[in-house]
Amino acid sequence: QVQLVESGGGFVEAGGSLRLSCLASGRSSSSISTMAMGWYRQVLGEPRELVAEISSGGNANYADSVKGRFTVSRGDAKRVNLQMNNLKSEDTAVYYCHANSGLDIHYWGKGTLVTVSV
């Protein structure tokens, strides 16, 4: 069992920045470090979409809409971060931390709300 807890969401004006962080617990650092981790977001009435993910080897990929503005990174062994720069109103959503184990078991955080105003 892995628990994921997001932090860092809030209100920001367009053009501003936020940094999201996700802390994993429930397993050892070595176990969590083997998992792919990342971020999804969801707007009410829309499907949940991938924002950014990073593999255990450090390879990252991003949604086209955030390329050049967002950066996903692994912090310590149990943390994944999402630096969001030049935020736009279209980035407003609930952001969910995600982890995928080697057993193809998926874990989700409860989400943190990001609201971007113009």
Side-chain angles (χ1 to χ4, degrees), residues 39-103:
W39 297 87
Y40 288 69
R41 68 186 181 189
Q42 187 171 28
V43 177
L44 184 64
E46 300 288 338
R48 188 172 297 184
E49 66 174 356
L50 173 70
V51 177
E53 64 181 5
I54 186 167
S55 72
S56 61
N59 296 318
N61 66 298
Y62 301 88
D64 288 342
S65 59
V66 307
K67 287 180 179 178
R69 300 188 297 119
F70 291 10
T71 302
V72 65
S73 62
R74 303 294 286 261
D76 58 32
K78 294 185 176 182
R79 190 177 296 274
V80 61
N81 302 310
L82 184 68
Q83 179 66 45
M84 305 186 293
N85 298 326
N86 192 24
L87 284 160
K88 304 175 180 180
S89 60
E90 65 201 64
D91 296 318
T92 296
V94 176
Y95 285 72
Y96 296 90
C97 184
H98 170 260
N100 184 4
S101 75
L103 299 176

